Amino acid sequence: MLIDRNDQVINICEIKYSFDEYAITDAYEEILRNRASLFKKVTKTKKALHHTFITTYGLKQNKYSGMIQSEVTMDDLFQL
């Protein structure tokens, strides 16, 4: 999912279902970087690209999770 904002930022949203915190691996980090690079090349956008993860229980903090600018969890989506 893409969110094209008025403040010159596009959020590239990854939506993942997991039974626990979602862990980004070295291989998956490379996929995310390549995907953003290809998007920028094809669209010729000058906007900043921010990675956003939408997951059931959030991201597991590891050396690859630092590339993610924001995350949304199930609790964020279903607050009463």
Side-chain angles (χ1 to χ4, degrees):
M1 177 171 62
L2 299 172
I3 302 172
D4 190 356
R5 300 167 20 182
N6 288 333
D7 61 351
Q8 301 302 306
V9 174
I10 297 174
N11 288 80
I12 300 176
C13 301
E14 296 283 328
I15 303 169
K16 300 291 183 190
Y17 179 81
S18 178
F19 289 107
D20 203 355
E21 292 178 317
Y22 187 83
I24 298 174
T25 64
D26 179 38
Y28 195 64
E29 179 195 36
E30 186 175 344
I31 289 170
L32 294 173
R33 288 188 190 282
N34 289 340
R35 190 176 292 158
S37 177
L38 181 62
F39 178 81
K40 203 161 206 162
K41 181 179 178 182
V42 169
T43 62
K44 296 179 178 59
T45 186
K46 300 290 188 214
K47 294 184 176 186
L49 301 180
H50 286 189
H51 289 281
T52 301
F53 259 69
I54 302 169
T55 64
T56 40
Y57 299 106
L59 286 175
K60 180 175 179 138
Q61 296 302 304
N62 62 22
K63 66 181 184 178
Y64 307 111
S65 62
M67 72 174 298
I68 307 305
Q69 280 82 15
S70 58
E71 62 181 287
V72 178
T73 66
M74 179 172 54
D75 290 341
D76 296 323
L77 295 173
F78 298 105
Q79 289 184 359
L80 297 177

